[in-house]
Amino acid sequence: MKPFMDENFLLETETARTLYHSHAAHMPIIDYHCHVSPEEIARDIKLENITKAWLGGDHYKWRLIRSGGVDERYITGDASDREKFDKFAQVLPRAIGNPLYHWTHLELKRYFGCDLILNPQNADAIWEICNERLTRDDMSVRGIIRKSNVTVVCTTDDPADSLEWHKIMRDDPSWEVKVLPAFRPDAAIGIEKPGFRDYLRGLSKASGIAIKSIDDLKAALEDRINFFAEMGCVASDHGLNYIPWEENCKEKAGAVFKQALAGELPGQSEADAFKAAMLLFLSEQYAKRGWAMQIHYGVVRGANSRMTAKLGADTGFDCISARDSSGAMYKLLDAMESGGGLPKTVLYSLNPNDDAYLATAIGAFQGPSLPGKLQHGSAWWFNDTKTGMAAQLTNLANLGILGNFIGMLTDSRSFLSYTRHEYFRRILCNLIGGWAENGEYPADMEFLGGLVRDISYNNAMRYFFGG
């Protein structure tokens, strides 16, 4: 029997072990999509205790603890940090097969030098070990980023954001890691939301443009895109429940926007027409600047309406959508391509059943300008499990070119989540190593090693920065 999480964790063959230890393990990290706070990096805060580091804002873990039958007081309520930690330690041992079990113990090993298993018997010792380590200077937020060998972090930022913390980091000669904004205009195109008009007032103030028409809205967004570009932005991100599409959307969008300004909430087809038209406009802006356009979709947000109303969004009540967006996706990409505004694009669906269609969709729109211009994004959210990552990689390999893949991201609010890159790289090396050992690919270790280094880091650097 193999020991738990030793140096060859998840590496089933000798080839896999060589690929990981000699090639993947020491590659830097570019975290091109995450939700960490730029303010906390700029201020170089220290995390108060392991509960704050592990459970603060982490709806992955909140959802897990709820599934263990724990009262909400010990999850998002007024229980003490130690009580919340103890509930996590109580529930986690039963989560066999869940990636949170692996991630948690990777974080204990890599950041705290702790090989103990998190359970109620070890809770006291782990609490003391982690909290003592968090007091050290090398475990400040910047220390954790340095320790993780991160070279670039792309945060997720609203168009109206001042980016003041990014400016501080840009001008700080003591800070060598690039922390760049990523443009997230969801609120600017969420025309069906009750707060849409209020949001426009803030966007108008940030841009200095009075927004009285759809052309004004486009001008305001272009102004903010220019500002983000000055701040080093190389990517946008769009969080959509599904892919919107309506024929003749450009012709319809202006009237729909005018109605929204008058206080009329649009119907679904009207909202879809507006959103599709705005996505086409924004894609042209991104293409002009060489940005990558990331699209995340396939989610039902706030499925538990009572708890979402009580606790708010991003608290662990979302789930996978079974809605078919394939037809709309093809039409949206085709409209971008036909209009000459198809940017570098990374597509993520929360529904794993979409893996094959995404891998074929990107193949229909590739071109000579950049190998892998369109990307099937890494296994996202509910899919970033051992089986989910392997499935996404296998689909991409079967139907496209795995060697052009830009690899893993954290998509996390936690500074301890960089171990997810290690998890991904071990799974990648195990998959490739298995194919080589099975005689499905030549055992050319020099070439395979280069392939692994590219997928781990180099491809993403070339994709986002042309390096």
Side-chain angles (χ1 to χ4, degrees), residues 52 76 134 175 185 196 198 242 244 287 291 328 364 442 451:
K52 291 287 195 296
T76 61
L134 287 170
W175 181 229
F196 181 66
D198 290 337
Y242 59 89
W291 287 11
L451 202 68

Side-chain angles (χ1 to χ4, degrees), residues 36-65:
V36 296
S37 164
E39 178 183 354
E40 291 179 349
I41 304 174
R43 292 172 51 214
D44 195 22
I45 69 164
K46 286 186 177 179
L47 301 167
E48 184 179 336
N49 57 48
I50 189 59
T51 299
K52 291 287 195 296
W54 260 349
L55 305 180
D58 192 334
H59 55 85
Y60 282 75
K61 293 189 179 75
W62 293 349
R63 185 184 182 99
L64 184 84
I65 300 168

Side-chain angles (χ1 to χ4, degrees), residues 106-363:
L106 279 174
E107 290 165 14
L108 281 174
K109 283 176 173 287
R110 301 298 177 251
Y111 296 113
F112 301 100
C114 178
D115 290 322
L116 295 174
I117 303 302
L118 183 62
N119 56 38
Q121 294 73 38
N122 289 332
D124 286 346
I126 291 174
W127 175 262
E128 295 297 331
I129 289 168
C130 292
N131 290 346
E132 187 281 325
R133 182 63 65 93
L134 287 170
T135 65
R136 301 182 187 180
D137 290 341
D138 67 348
M139 284 295 287
S140 68
V141 163
R142 292 191 183 188
I144 291 169
I145 293 172
R146 287 187 176 108
K147 189 185 296 287
S148 304
N149 199 16
V150 178
T151 61
V152 181
V153 176
C154 295
T155 58
T156 305
D157 307 276
D158 186 87
D161 196 296
S162 68
L163 304 184
E164 59 183 301
W165 300 107
H166 290 87
K167 291 178 184 177
I168 289 171
M169 286 182 279
R170 181 194 62 184
D171 298 335
D172 182 353
S174 70
W175 181 229
E176 69 281 7
V177 178
K178 287 184 179 179
V179 182
L180 306 177
F183 193 74
R184 180 75 175 250
D186 293 357
I189 67 173
I191 196 168
E192 80 284 8
K193 302 291 178 64
F196 181 66
R197 289 193 299 169
D198 290 337
Y199 175 79
L200 292 182
R201 283 191 278 273
L203 180 61
S204 179
K205 181 178 180 180
S207 64
I209 296 172
I211 301 175
K212 299 179 180 179
S213 69
I214 193 169
D215 289 336
D216 294 334
L217 174 60
K218 291 177 179 178
L221 287 170
E222 185 170 5
D223 175 84
R224 301 309 292 169
I225 288 171
N226 288 335
F227 173 58
F228 272 61
E230 292 170 4
M231 292 299 299
C233 180
V234 295
S236 69
D237 183 62
H238 297 262
L240 306 169
N241 289 354
Y242 59 89
I243 302 299
W245 183 255
E246 285 287 325
E247 298 297 334
N248 302 315
C249 58
K250 289 184 177 181
E251 291 78 7
K252 299 174 182 177
V256 175
F257 184 71
K258 185 176 181 181
Q259 291 172 350
L261 284 184
E264 299 178 32
L265 287 178
Q268 180 177 308
S269 64
E270 293 172 315
D272 287 352
F274 173 78
K275 288 183 177 181
M278 292 305 298
L279 288 172
L280 292 177
F281 163 74
L282 289 167
S283 71
E284 292 174 359
Q285 297 299 315
Y286 305 152
K288 287 179 185 177
R289 293 163 179 82
W291 287 11
M293 181 181 194
Q294 299 179 88
I295 299 177
H296 291 81
Y297 73 98
V299 56
V300 175
R301 296 188 183 275
N304 184 331
S305 59
R306 180 182 68 84
M307 290 301 292
T308 301
K310 180 179 179 180
L311 299 177
D314 300 320
T315 50
F317 301 101
D318 306 324
C319 54
I320 292 170
S321 171
R323 177 170 181 161
D324 181 9
S325 284
S326 59
M329 175 67 79
Y330 300 144
K331 290 178 180 178
L332 182 66
L333 292 174
D334 187 52
M336 292 178 185
E337 169 74 17
S338 299
L342 179 63
K344 293 181 290 189
T345 303
V346 189
L347 303 172
Y348 313 79
S349 174
L350 197 58
N351 191 332
N353 292 327
D354 292 345
D355 278 358
Y357 108 66
L358 282 180
T360 59
I362 65 173

